[in-house]
Amino acid sequence: MGVHGLMTYIGENHNFFNNVKIQNTKIVIDGNSLFHRLYFDSGLDLQCGGEYDLFTDVICKFFEALSLCNIAPYVVFDGGCDFTDKKFETLKQRAREKIQKARVISRGGGGMLLPLLNPEVFKQVLLQLQIPFVQCHSEADRDIVTLANQWTCPVVTLDSDFCIFDLKAGYCPLNYFKWQDIITPNDHSGSYILAQCFSVDNFCKHFNLVNKALLPLFAVLNGNDYVNIPPLETFLSRVHINAKTSCSAGGKNMRIQGLLNWLSKFSDPKEAIENILKCLKQNEREEIRKILCSLIDEYTQSEVDLTKFFQNKDLRAHVPIALASKAPEWMCLALMKGELAPFLSDCLILKRAFLHNQVENASRPSSNRCSLYIRQVIYGLLLCTSEPCPDLTLDLSSRVSVQAGIGEERLGKMPCVDEFDRYEQTLRKSSVQAVLKTFNANENYSLQRLPEISLSDRISFLLDVLSVKPDVLALPAHLQLTVAVTCYWVVHAEPKVTLHHLQALLLCIVTGELNKIIHKPGNSGSDEKSIRMVHDRLSQVKERKQQMWNLDIDVAHVFCQWQSCLLMGIYLNQLLCSALPVPDITRLYSGTSVHRLHQTLKSTVAAEDLLKGSLIASEVYHELLHTVIITVPADFFQTKHKSKHRSRAKGNEKQTTNSTGSSSKDNQRQCTWHDTNNRFAALTTEKF
């Protein structure tokens, strides 16, 4: 939620905080707040689509710092949108703001817009580090408060609502949580993190509030993400004038101080509400009373007991009725475990999806258009049960018509999902119809039965949606879905994917794989040395300083489409109960690296030159390239005008299309892809 202007206000008065040493304790962490702050505060790329490899390093360092201080973290994530839809207008406004932020960033301006895959990367790192986490069914604030009070431990987040909740062990804002500066005393009392903990008692004392229960009413009157009550403006216009503040204070400070000073006259919320109602018209009072009481209840503890989830991973008794009425039991549990994205529950319950905006070419259709068909299949799986539905197989032009709201008569009465996405520089709602695909010719399915469908049928279903040949299954397991989605992207992206786009992306993927090999304990010898050499060479391309470098917005748009396709491919795979192994995306993509590699390949260097010296790196790259190229027409990457270096790149492509997926030089060294794949898999199996 968030109380408007409150974090800025309390930050200007350090008397509201107590200095604390955090060690030897549990802490409850607001996961959504943390993955935003860790990324933004680390100065990582915001223009090229994210630096997930460096973000992974930051996450690991954060939790390593906690471990050194014997701090046991429990991470709690928000789930889908509230089923009552009370935050709908706020969501739309935030989506509009993100569209404008992306436009400013694309032109080299400032602003903060989280890269698309950050939440998924963050959760994967938590799994790899074995950090316990839970994903709530809606906004997590109340569940976080309940859990922290049960354990009497601090909450770590950056959300002004936690200044309103009555927390036994306090609220530590992330901007005052000095995890990067661990202190280790000489007295052997143990390392600790110095933090500032917000004190509700100090805050109330400052304003002479005799009852902390008045704070939720203050939050509602001041305004949060749920509040939009026009009749209250008459009352508020009278109150904030009486604020005791200096002439230099801003309007928000006047409102905050005026409200708190006014509330200090009352002993409890009921008395204060009665005085508010006196300022309103007679016919408005009862309705406003109900609204205020309902909003105040948002600051009470929840009935959900997350301790039970962390003990046995089961919270079936606390599934909201709206979700339980439509989602089968396996899906409810998978949502809480973070194995299914909140996007899926929103589509199922609300039949609505807010699509995330990226830094892309705003003069072109949204990058999410490229992944439209994948989403339509997701909607079909969620919304079409065993009841008969028309079988729809749409070509790309039909899919575009769906998003534009055309062709409804042709498409029949299929369920629809309202998508909110960028259209030019505004937010637009489009009603997108689901696509029903069956798992075999004679079988109907239901959402309840999805886990019971055979693995082979689920794999075939997924590959068919992505229009990918089974060759992809010969790749290392953790790369299969990524490459399958890449094949889909190459065919559907607009602007058209060029060979340089594809090569840059695959070289970036190879760089991440080499990094895993280098950092796996026990890897040594000639393979490791040659791999390190190639890894360093590829990394230097990213780090190379280039004067007057400007973002190529069309190149950015192409790679934004890939990220959109990958995210929706991951969601579809989740819904199919991991038909293909979950791809490791923690070091899969670096936007800065991809853009630099693309620029380098266009200028003077062929992809093969960057891989010289490591047979394994070269073999992996060529097999990835071969697997993608065989899915497109033979002349897909041909260009009318070829420079010398482009001819070399084309030559590399031809080398990869022979039957073994290897160059002639590789064949002379008698190294087949099967052997390389086995060695590569052995080098990369252990988690970092």
mmCIF file of all heavy atoms in Angstrom, residues 79-81 83 135 323 327 330-331 334-335 338-353 374-375 377-379 381-383 417 447 567-568 570-577:
data_model
loop_
_atom_site.group_PDB
_atom_site.id
_atom_site.type_symbol
_atom_site.label_atom_id
_atom_site.label_comp_id
_atom_site.label_asym_id
_atom_site.label_seq_id
_atom_site.Cartn_x
_atom_site.Cartn_y
_atom_site.Cartn_z
ATOM 1 N N GLY A 79 1.175 -11.541 -3.547
ATOM 2 C CA GLY A 79 0.592 -12.425 -4.552
ATOM 3 C C GLY A 79 -0.105 -11.618 -5.623
ATOM 4 O O GLY A 79 0.349 -10.541 -6.012
ATOM 5 N N GLY A 80 -1.234 -12.123 -6.098
ATOM 6 C CA GLY A 80 -1.969 -11.419 -7.142
ATOM 7 C C GLY A 80 -2.715 -10.209 -6.603
ATOM 8 O O GLY A 80 -2.636 -9.863 -5.424
ATOM 9 N N CYS A 81 -3.461 -9.570 -7.484
ATOM 10 C CA CYS A 81 -4.238 -8.394 -7.101
ATOM 11 C C CYS A 81 -5.342 -8.796 -6.124
ATOM 12 O O CYS A 81 -5.832 -9.918 -6.148
ATOM 13 C CB CYS A 81 -4.866 -7.749 -8.336
ATOM 14 S SG CYS A 81 -3.657 -7.148 -9.529
ATOM 15 N N PHE A 83 -8.738 -9.497 -4.680
ATOM 16 C CA PHE A 83 -9.895 -9.977 -5.428
ATOM 17 C C PHE A 83 -11.078 -9.025 -5.350
ATOM 18 O O PHE A 83 -12.016 -9.142 -6.136
ATOM 19 C CB PHE A 83 -10.303 -11.370 -4.930
ATOM 20 C CG PHE A 83 -9.182 -12.373 -5.006
ATOM 21 C CD1 PHE A 83 -8.951 -13.269 -3.970
ATOM 22 C CD2 PHE A 83 -8.346 -12.413 -6.109
ATOM 23 C CE1 PHE A 83 -7.909 -14.185 -4.040
ATOM 24 C CE2 PHE A 83 -7.303 -13.319 -6.194
ATOM 25 C CZ PHE A 83 -7.081 -14.207 -5.160
ATOM 26 N N GLN A 135 4.766 -16.987 -0.988
ATOM 27 C CA GLN A 135 4.070 -16.013 -1.827
ATOM 28 C C GLN A 135 2.611 -15.977 -1.388
ATOM 29 O O GLN A 135 1.907 -16.979 -1.477
ATOM 30 C CB GLN A 135 4.184 -16.435 -3.291
ATOM 31 C CG GLN A 135 3.553 -15.478 -4.280
ATOM 32 C CD GLN A 135 3.860 -15.896 -5.704
ATOM 33 O OE1 GLN A 135 4.874 -15.519 -6.281
ATOM 34 N NE2 GLN A 135 2.994 -16.704 -6.282
ATOM 35 N N LEU A 323 -10.387 -17.529 -4.681
ATOM 36 C CA LEU A 323 -9.398 -18.379 -5.341
ATOM 37 C C LEU A 323 -9.775 -19.850 -5.229
ATOM 38 O O LEU A 323 -9.709 -20.599 -6.212
ATOM 39 C CB LEU A 323 -8.014 -18.138 -4.731
ATOM 40 C CG LEU A 323 -6.846 -18.936 -5.329
ATOM 41 C CD1 LEU A 323 -6.664 -18.586 -6.796
ATOM 42 C CD2 LEU A 323 -5.558 -18.654 -4.558
ATOM 43 N N ALA A 327 -9.618 -22.245 -8.378
ATOM 44 C CA ALA A 327 -8.307 -22.875 -8.527
ATOM 45 C C ALA A 327 -8.276 -24.216 -7.806
ATOM 46 O O ALA A 327 -8.698 -24.302 -6.648
ATOM 47 C CB ALA A 327 -7.215 -21.960 -7.976
ATOM 48 N N TRP A 330 -3.904 -28.144 -6.043
ATOM 49 C CA TRP A 330 -2.488 -28.155 -6.432
ATOM 50 C C TRP A 330 -2.024 -26.766 -6.840
ATOM 51 O O TRP A 330 -0.881 -26.371 -6.579
ATOM 52 C CB TRP A 330 -2.247 -29.156 -7.560
ATOM 53 C CG TRP A 330 -2.770 -28.749 -8.921
ATOM 54 C CD1 TRP A 330 -3.962 -29.086 -9.482
ATOM 55 C CD2 TRP A 330 -2.101 -27.910 -9.889
ATOM 56 N NE1 TRP A 330 -4.108 -28.512 -10.722
ATOM 57 C CE2 TRP A 330 -2.972 -27.795 -11.004
ATOM 58 C CE3 TRP A 330 -0.880 -27.257 -9.929
ATOM 59 C CZ2 TRP A 330 -2.649 -27.048 -12.141
ATOM 60 C CZ3 TRP A 330 -0.541 -26.510 -11.061
ATOM 61 C CH2 TRP A 330 -1.420 -26.410 -12.146
ATOM 62 N N MET A 331 -2.915 -26.004 -7.450
ATOM 63 C CA MET A 331 -2.553 -24.664 -7.913
ATOM 64 C C MET A 331 -2.428 -23.698 -6.741
ATOM 65 O O MET A 331 -1.512 -22.862 -6.709
ATOM 66 C CB MET A 331 -3.605 -24.167 -8.912
ATOM 67 C CG MET A 331 -3.244 -22.873 -9.603
ATOM 68 S SD MET A 331 -4.443 -22.447 -10.891
ATOM 69 C CE MET A 331 -3.731 -20.883 -11.454
ATOM 70 N N ALA A 334 0.856 -24.406 -5.084
ATOM 71 C CA ALA A 334 1.963 -23.983 -5.943
ATOM 72 C C ALA A 334 2.120 -22.462 -5.946
ATOM 73 O O ALA A 334 3.238 -21.938 -6.019
ATOM 74 C CB ALA A 334 1.751 -24.494 -7.366
ATOM 75 N N LEU A 335 1.003 -21.745 -5.854
ATOM 76 C CA LEU A 335 1.076 -20.285 -5.771
ATOM 77 C C LEU A 335 1.797 -19.857 -4.499
ATOM 78 O O LEU A 335 2.653 -18.968 -4.522
ATOM 79 C CB LEU A 335 -0.328 -19.684 -5.807
ATOM 80 C CG LEU A 335 -1.008 -19.622 -7.178
ATOM 81 C CD1 LEU A 335 -2.508 -19.384 -7.033
ATOM 82 C CD2 LEU A 335 -0.373 -18.531 -8.045
ATOM 83 N N GLY A 338 5.460 -20.208 -4.599
ATOM 84 C CA GLY A 338 6.125 -19.397 -5.615
ATOM 85 C C GLY A 338 6.418 -20.173 -6.879
ATOM 86 O O GLY A 338 7.168 -19.709 -7.732
ATOM 87 N N GLU A 339 5.815 -21.351 -7.027
ATOM 88 C CA GLU A 339 6.022 -22.163 -8.222
ATOM 89 C C GLU A 339 5.133 -21.716 -9.373
ATOM 90 O O GLU A 339 5.349 -22.103 -10.518
ATOM 91 C CB GLU A 339 5.754 -23.642 -7.900
ATOM 92 C CG GLU A 339 6.737 -24.221 -6.888
ATOM 93 C CD GLU A 339 6.331 -25.594 -6.392
ATOM 94 O OE1 GLU A 339 5.227 -26.056 -6.781
ATOM 95 O OE2 GLU A 339 7.090 -26.202 -5.618
ATOM 96 N N LEU A 340 4.112 -20.932 -9.063
ATOM 97 C CA LEU A 340 3.260 -20.303 -10.068
ATOM 98 C C LEU A 340 3.274 -18.797 -9.826
ATOM 99 O O LEU A 340 3.249 -18.349 -8.679
ATOM 100 C CB LEU A 340 1.825 -20.817 -9.976
ATOM 101 C CG LEU A 340 1.556 -22.279 -10.349
ATOM 102 C CD1 LEU A 340 0.078 -22.608 -10.142
ATOM 103 C CD2 LEU A 340 1.960 -22.578 -11.778
ATOM 104 N N ALA A 341 3.288 -18.036 -10.899
ATOM 105 C CA ALA A 341 3.351 -16.580 -10.791
ATOM 106 C C ALA A 341 1.974 -15.993 -10.468
ATOM 107 O O ALA A 341 0.947 -16.538 -10.896
ATOM 108 C CB ALA A 341 3.870 -15.981 -12.095
ATOM 109 N N PRO A 342 1.922 -14.878 -9.726
ATOM 110 C CA PRO A 342 0.632 -14.208 -9.456
ATOM 111 C C PRO A 342 -0.115 -13.823 -10.728
ATOM 112 O O PRO A 342 -1.342 -13.709 -10.708
ATOM 113 C CB PRO A 342 1.049 -12.973 -8.659
ATOM 114 C CG PRO A 342 2.358 -13.332 -8.036
ATOM 115 C CD PRO A 342 3.044 -14.229 -9.030
ATOM 116 N N PHE A 343 0.626 -13.622 -11.812
ATOM 117 C CA PHE A 343 -0.002 -13.347 -13.109
ATOM 118 C C PHE A 343 -1.085 -14.376 -13.416
ATOM 119 O O PHE A 343 -2.161 -14.041 -13.932
ATOM 120 C CB PHE A 343 1.084 -13.366 -14.191
ATOM 121 C CG PHE A 343 0.589 -13.258 -15.603
ATOM 122 C CD1 PHE A 343 0.398 -12.027 -16.196
ATOM 123 C CD2 PHE A 343 0.311 -14.400 -16.351
ATOM 124 C CE1 PHE A 343 -0.064 -11.931 -17.514
ATOM 125 C CE2 PHE A 343 -0.154 -14.320 -17.650
ATOM 126 C CZ PHE A 343 -0.340 -13.081 -18.236
ATOM 127 N N LEU A 344 -0.826 -15.635 -13.082
ATOM 128 C CA LEU A 344 -1.752 -16.717 -13.420
ATOM 129 C C LEU A 344 -3.020 -16.655 -12.578
ATOM 130 O O LEU A 344 -4.125 -16.876 -13.087
ATOM 131 C CB LEU A 344 -1.055 -18.065 -13.246
ATOM 132 C CG LEU A 344 0.190 -18.269 -14.126
ATOM 133 C CD1 LEU A 344 0.902 -19.568 -13.767
ATOM 134 C CD2 LEU A 344 -0.194 -18.259 -15.605
ATOM 135 N N SER A 345 -2.894 -16.345 -11.297
ATOM 136 C CA SER A 345 -4.094 -16.236 -10.458
ATOM 137 C C SER A 345 -4.922 -15.015 -10.841
ATOM 138 O O SER A 345 -6.161 -15.047 -10.787
ATOM 139 C CB SER A 345 -3.720 -16.194 -8.971
ATOM 140 O OG SER A 345 -2.880 -15.100 -8.673
ATOM 141 N N ASP A 346 -4.276 -13.925 -11.239
ATOM 142 C CA ASP A 346 -5.022 -12.750 -11.702
ATOM 143 C C ASP A 346 -5.856 -13.085 -12.941
ATOM 144 O O ASP A 346 -7.010 -12.676 -13.057
ATOM 145 C CB ASP A 346 -4.060 -11.605 -12.032
ATOM 146 C CG ASP A 346 -3.540 -10.902 -10.796
ATOM 147 O OD1 ASP A 346 -4.066 -11.151 -9.705
ATOM 148 O OD2 ASP A 346 -2.594 -10.103 -10.925
ATOM 149 N N CYS A 347 -5.241 -13.820 -13.867
ATOM 150 C CA CYS A 347 -5.962 -14.194 -15.091
ATOM 151 C C CYS A 347 -7.133 -15.112 -14.774
ATOM 152 O O CYS A 347 -8.210 -14.996 -15.369
ATOM 153 C CB CYS A 347 -5.015 -14.885 -16.073
ATOM 154 S SG CYS A 347 -3.694 -13.827 -16.701
ATOM 155 N N LEU A 348 -6.936 -16.022 -13.837
ATOM 156 C CA LEU A 348 -7.979 -16.987 -13.492
ATOM 157 C C LEU A 348 -9.140 -16.333 -12.748
ATOM 158 O O LEU A 348 -10.307 -16.564 -13.081
ATOM 159 C CB LEU A 348 -7.372 -18.104 -12.642
ATOM 160 C CG LEU A 348 -8.340 -19.166 -12.106
ATOM 161 C CD1 LEU A 348 -8.971 -19.933 -13.263
ATOM 162 C CD2 LEU A 348 -7.620 -20.115 -11.152
ATOM 163 N N ILE A 349 -8.832 -15.511 -11.753
ATOM 164 C CA ILE A 349 -9.881 -14.958 -10.885
ATOM 165 C C ILE A 349 -10.465 -13.666 -11.445
ATOM 166 O O ILE A 349 -11.684 -13.504 -11.525
ATOM 167 C CB ILE A 349 -9.334 -14.696 -9.468
ATOM 168 C CG1 ILE A 349 -8.675 -15.956 -8.909
ATOM 169 C CG2 ILE A 349 -10.451 -14.219 -8.543
ATOM 170 C CD1 ILE A 349 -9.561 -17.163 -8.876
ATOM 171 N N LEU A 350 -9.610 -12.751 -11.835
ATOM 172 C CA LEU A 350 -10.070 -11.436 -12.284
ATOM 173 C C LEU A 350 -10.244 -11.348 -13.797
ATOM 174 O O LEU A 350 -10.796 -10.370 -14.305
ATOM 175 C CB LEU A 350 -9.082 -10.355 -11.826
ATOM 176 C CG LEU A 350 -8.882 -10.237 -10.309
ATOM 177 C CD1 LEU A 350 -7.751 -9.258 -10.004
ATOM 178 C CD2 LEU A 350 -10.165 -9.789 -9.630
ATOM 179 N N LYS A 351 -9.724 -12.345 -14.508
ATOM 180 C CA LYS A 351 -9.708 -12.313 -15.977
ATOM 181 C C LYS A 351 -9.093 -11.003 -16.471
ATOM 182 O O LYS A 351 -9.629 -10.320 -17.347
ATOM 183 C CB LYS A 351 -11.119 -12.514 -16.544
ATOM 184 C CG LYS A 351 -11.684 -13.897 -16.268
ATOM 185 C CD LYS A 351 -13.011 -14.114 -16.965
ATOM 186 C CE LYS A 351 -13.543 -15.516 -16.699
ATOM 187 N NZ LYS A 351 -14.833 -15.784 -17.366
ATOM 188 N N ARG A 352 -7.943 -10.697 -15.866
ATOM 189 C CA ARG A 352 -7.290 -9.426 -16.166
ATOM 190 C C ARG A 352 -5.787 -9.587 -16.003
ATOM 191 O O ARG A 352 -5.317 -10.366 -15.161
ATOM 192 C CB ARG A 352 -7.794 -8.350 -15.209
ATOM 193 C CG ARG A 352 -7.308 -6.952 -15.560
ATOM 194 C CD ARG A 352 -7.806 -5.967 -14.540
ATOM 195 N NE ARG A 352 -7.177 -6.143 -13.241
ATOM 196 C CZ ARG A 352 -7.745 -5.860 -12.083
ATOM 197 N NH1 ARG A 352 -8.987 -5.421 -12.054
ATOM 198 N NH2 ARG A 352 -7.105 -6.034 -10.960
ATOM 199 N N ALA A 353 -5.020 -8.864 -16.813
ATOM 200 C CA ALA A 353 -3.569 -8.926 -16.720
ATOM 201 C C ALA A 353 -2.972 -7.552 -17.007
ATOM 202 O O ALA A 353 -3.308 -6.927 -18.021
ATOM 203 C CB ALA A 353 -3.011 -9.956 -17.710
ATOM 204 N N ILE A 374 1.373 -17.058 -26.855
ATOM 205 C CA ILE A 374 1.683 -17.841 -25.651
ATOM 206 C C ILE A 374 0.695 -17.492 -24.551
ATOM 207 O O ILE A 374 0.184 -18.369 -23.843
ATOM 208 C CB ILE A 374 3.135 -17.577 -25.185
ATOM 209 C CG1 ILE A 374 4.131 -17.892 -26.303
ATOM 210 C CG2 ILE A 374 3.451 -18.426 -23.951
ATOM 211 C CD1 ILE A 374 5.577 -17.544 -25.945
ATOM 212 N N ARG A 375 0.401 -16.203 -24.395
ATOM 213 C CA ARG A 375 -0.563 -15.788 -23.365
ATOM 214 C C ARG A 375 -1.950 -16.335 -23.666
ATOM 215 O O ARG A 375 -2.673 -16.756 -22.759
ATOM 216 C CB ARG A 375 -0.609 -14.258 -23.253
ATOM 217 C CG ARG A 375 0.689 -13.636 -22.744
ATOM 218 C CD ARG A 375 0.480 -12.222 -22.265
ATOM 219 N NE ARG A 375 -0.099 -11.341 -23.254
ATOM 220 C CZ ARG A 375 0.566 -10.741 -24.228
ATOM 221 N NH1 ARG A 375 1.874 -10.956 -24.357
ATOM 222 N NH2 ARG A 375 -0.048 -9.941 -25.079
ATOM 223 N N VAL A 377 -2.737 -19.076 -25.097
ATOM 224 C CA VAL A 377 -2.762 -20.493 -24.714
ATOM 225 C C VAL A 377 -2.841 -20.621 -23.189
ATOM 226 O O VAL A 377 -3.561 -21.478 -22.665
ATOM 227 C CB VAL A 377 -1.520 -21.220 -25.273
ATOM 228 C CG1 VAL A 377 -1.442 -22.648 -24.720
ATOM 229 C CG2 VAL A 377 -1.550 -21.247 -26.795
ATOM 230 N N ILE A 378 -2.121 -19.759 -22.478
ATOM 231 C CA ILE A 378 -2.215 -19.745 -21.010
ATOM 232 C C ILE A 378 -3.660 -19.480 -20.590
ATOM 233 O O ILE A 378 -4.211 -20.164 -19.711
ATOM 234 C CB ILE A 378 -1.273 -18.674 -20.418
ATOM 235 C CG1 ILE A 378 0.190 -19.090 -20.588
ATOM 236 C CG2 ILE A 378 -1.588 -18.432 -18.935
ATOM 237 C CD1 ILE A 378 1.189 -18.017 -20.178
ATOM 238 N N TYR A 379 -4.292 -18.493 -21.215
ATOM 239 C CA TYR A 379 -5.676 -18.169 -20.875
ATOM 240 C C TYR A 379 -6.591 -19.367 -21.155
ATOM 241 O O TYR A 379 -7.538 -19.628 -20.399
ATOM 242 C CB TYR A 379 -6.160 -16.953 -21.666
ATOM 243 C CG TYR A 379 -5.320 -15.699 -21.478
ATOM 244 C CD1 TYR A 379 -5.289 -14.700 -22.453
ATOM 245 C CD2 TYR A 379 -4.540 -15.517 -20.336
ATOM 246 C CE1 TYR A 379 -4.528 -13.550 -22.289
ATOM 247 C CE2 TYR A 379 -3.768 -14.376 -20.170
ATOM 248 C CZ TYR A 379 -3.760 -13.397 -21.156
ATOM 249 O OH TYR A 379 -2.996 -12.267 -21.001
ATOM 250 N N LEU A 381 -5.758 -22.575 -21.041
ATOM 251 C CA LEU A 381 -5.549 -23.577 -20.004
ATOM 252 C C LEU A 381 -6.247 -23.195 -18.708
ATOM 253 O O LEU A 381 -6.786 -24.050 -17.993
ATOM 254 C CB LEU A 381 -4.047 -23.747 -19.746
ATOM 255 C CG LEU A 381 -3.233 -24.464 -20.824
ATOM 256 C CD1 LEU A 381 -1.745 -24.369 -20.512
ATOM 257 C CD2 LEU A 381 -3.651 -25.921 -20.945
ATOM 258 N N LEU A 382 -6.256 -21.913 -18.392
ATOM 259 C CA LEU A 382 -6.846 -21.452 -17.138
ATOM 260 C C LEU A 382 -8.362 -21.386 -17.181
ATOM 261 O O LEU A 382 -9.038 -21.730 -16.207
ATOM 262 C CB LEU A 382 -6.299 -20.071 -16.775
ATOM 263 C CG LEU A 382 -4.841 -19.990 -16.335
ATOM 264 C CD1 LEU A 382 -4.392 -18.530 -16.277
ATOM 265 C CD2 LEU A 382 -4.653 -20.648 -14.964
ATOM 266 N N LEU A 383 -8.905 -20.960 -18.306
ATOM 267 C CA LEU A 383 -10.317 -20.600 -18.346
ATOM 268 C C LEU A 383 -11.208 -21.599 -19.070
ATOM 269 O O LEU A 383 -12.428 -21.545 -18.931
ATOM 270 C CB LEU A 383 -10.481 -19.219 -19.006
ATOM 271 C CG LEU A 383 -9.714 -18.075 -18.320
ATOM 272 C CD1 LEU A 383 -9.859 -16.791 -19.115
ATOM 273 C CD2 LEU A 383 -10.192 -17.879 -16.897
ATOM 274 N N VAL A 417 -9.599 -12.374 -21.553
ATOM 275 C CA VAL A 417 -8.837 -11.727 -20.487
ATOM 276 C C VAL A 417 -8.579 -10.286 -20.918
ATOM 277 O O VAL A 417 -8.153 -10.037 -22.054
ATOM 278 C CB VAL A 417 -7.507 -12.449 -20.214
ATOM 279 C CG1 VAL A 417 -6.628 -11.635 -19.268
ATOM 280 C CG2 VAL A 417 -7.755 -13.844 -19.646
ATOM 281 N N LEU A 447 -8.489 -27.891 -15.436
ATOM 282 C CA LEU A 447 -7.384 -27.326 -14.671
ATOM 283 C C LEU A 447 -6.997 -28.263 -13.533
ATOM 284 O O LEU A 447 -5.817 -28.410 -13.197
ATOM 285 C CB LEU A 447 -7.807 -25.951 -14.131
ATOM 286 C CG LEU A 447 -6.710 -25.028 -13.597
ATOM 287 C CD1 LEU A 447 -5.647 -24.789 -14.645
ATOM 288 C CD2 LEU A 447 -7.322 -23.708 -13.151
ATOM 289 N N LEU A 567 9.516 -14.777 -20.439
ATOM 290 C CA LEU A 567 8.699 -14.724 -19.226
ATOM 291 C C LEU A 567 7.395 -15.491 -19.418
ATOM 292 O O LEU A 567 6.997 -16.283 -18.551
ATOM 293 C CB LEU A 567 8.416 -13.271 -18.843
ATOM 294 C CG LEU A 567 7.643 -13.081 -17.539
ATOM 295 C CD1 LEU A 567 8.444 -13.611 -16.351
ATOM 296 C CD2 LEU A 567 7.278 -11.619 -17.315
ATOM 297 N N MET A 568 6.738 -15.268 -20.554
ATOM 298 C CA MET A 568 5.483 -15.975 -20.788
ATOM 299 C C MET A 568 5.723 -17.469 -21.034
ATOM 300 O O MET A 568 4.890 -18.308 -20.672
ATOM 301 C CB MET A 568 4.726 -15.350 -21.969
ATOM 302 C CG MET A 568 4.208 -13.954 -21.651
ATOM 303 S SD MET A 568 3.133 -13.954 -20.173
ATOM 304 C CE MET A 568 3.376 -12.284 -19.577
ATOM 305 N N ILE A 570 8.038 -19.155 -19.499
ATOM 306 C CA ILE A 570 8.232 -19.655 -18.131
ATOM 307 C C ILE A 570 6.880 -19.841 -17.446
ATOM 308 O O ILE A 570 6.632 -20.857 -16.783
ATOM 309 C CB ILE A 570 9.131 -18.697 -17.331
ATOM 310 C CG1 ILE A 570 10.575 -18.781 -17.834
ATOM 311 C CG2 ILE A 570 9.077 -19.011 -15.837
ATOM 312 C CD1 ILE A 570 11.511 -17.738 -17.235
ATOM 313 N N TYR A 571 5.977 -18.866 -17.609
ATOM 314 C CA TYR A 571 4.643 -18.972 -16.997
ATOM 315 C C TYR A 571 3.878 -20.170 -17.565
ATOM 316 O O TYR A 571 3.209 -20.903 -16.814
ATOM 317 C CB TYR A 571 3.836 -17.699 -17.231
ATOM 318 C CG TYR A 571 4.298 -16.488 -16.448
ATOM 319 C CD1 TYR A 571 3.772 -15.221 -16.696
ATOM 320 C CD2 TYR A 571 5.270 -16.595 -15.456
ATOM 321 C CE1 TYR A 571 4.170 -14.103 -15.985
ATOM 322 C CE2 TYR A 571 5.686 -15.480 -14.742
ATOM 323 C CZ TYR A 571 5.137 -14.238 -15.006
ATOM 324 O OH TYR A 571 5.545 -13.130 -14.308
ATOM 325 N N LEU A 572 3.936 -20.361 -18.880
ATOM 326 C CA LEU A 572 3.259 -21.498 -19.492
ATOM 327 C C LEU A 572 3.847 -22.806 -18.973
ATOM 328 O O LEU A 572 3.114 -23.749 -18.647
ATOM 329 C CB LEU A 572 3.380 -21.422 -21.018
ATOM 330 C CG LEU A 572 2.789 -22.600 -21.802
ATOM 331 C CD1 LEU A 572 1.308 -22.785 -21.495
ATOM 332 C CD2 LEU A 572 3.008 -22.404 -23.305
ATOM 333 N N ASN A 573 5.160 -22.870 -18.864
ATOM 334 C CA ASN A 573 5.818 -24.067 -18.345
ATOM 335 C C ASN A 573 5.427 -24.318 -16.885
ATOM 336 O O ASN A 573 5.235 -25.461 -16.466
ATOM 337 C CB ASN A 573 7.339 -23.923 -18.477
ATOM 338 C CG ASN A 573 8.068 -25.227 -18.239
ATOM 339 O OD1 ASN A 573 7.750 -26.256 -18.832
ATOM 340 N ND2 ASN A 573 9.054 -25.201 -17.351
ATOM 341 N N GLN A 574 5.290 -23.249 -16.104
ATOM 342 C CA GLN A 574 4.824 -23.388 -14.721
ATOM 343 C C GLN A 574 3.439 -24.019 -14.682
ATOM 344 O O GLN A 574 3.172 -24.930 -13.896
ATOM 345 C CB GLN A 574 4.787 -22.018 -14.034
ATOM 346 C CG GLN A 574 6.132 -21.407 -13.714
ATOM 347 C CD GLN A 574 5.997 -20.023 -13.099
ATOM 348 O OE1 GLN A 574 4.899 -19.464 -13.015
ATOM 349 N NE2 GLN A 574 7.113 -19.445 -12.659
ATOM 350 N N LEU A 575 2.553 -23.518 -15.539
ATOM 351 C CA LEU A 575 1.189 -24.012 -15.556
ATOM 352 C C LEU A 575 1.131 -25.473 -16.009
ATOM 353 O O LEU A 575 0.231 -26.222 -15.614
ATOM 354 C CB LEU A 575 0.335 -23.127 -16.472
ATOM 355 C CG LEU A 575 -1.179 -23.257 -16.371
ATOM 356 C CD1 LEU A 575 -1.676 -23.068 -14.951
ATOM 357 C CD2 LEU A 575 -1.851 -22.244 -17.296
ATOM 358 N N LEU A 576 2.100 -25.874 -16.812
ATOM 359 C CA LEU A 576 2.194 -27.263 -17.262
ATOM 360 C C LEU A 576 3.005 -28.109 -16.281
ATOM 361 O O LEU A 576 3.493 -29.181 -16.647
ATOM 362 C CB LEU A 576 2.823 -27.312 -18.654
ATOM 363 C CG LEU A 576 1.986 -26.696 -19.787
ATOM 364 C CD1 LEU A 576 2.795 -26.613 -21.072
ATOM 365 C CD2 LEU A 576 0.702 -27.478 -19.998
ATOM 366 N N CYS A 577 3.132 -27.618 -15.050
ATOM 367 C CA CYS A 577 3.818 -28.357 -13.978
ATOM 368 C C CYS A 577 5.245 -28.724 -14.384
ATOM 369 O O CYS A 577 5.679 -29.880 -14.238
ATOM 370 C CB CYS A 577 3.026 -29.598 -13.593
ATOM 371 S SG CYS A 577 1.313 -29.261 -13.141
#
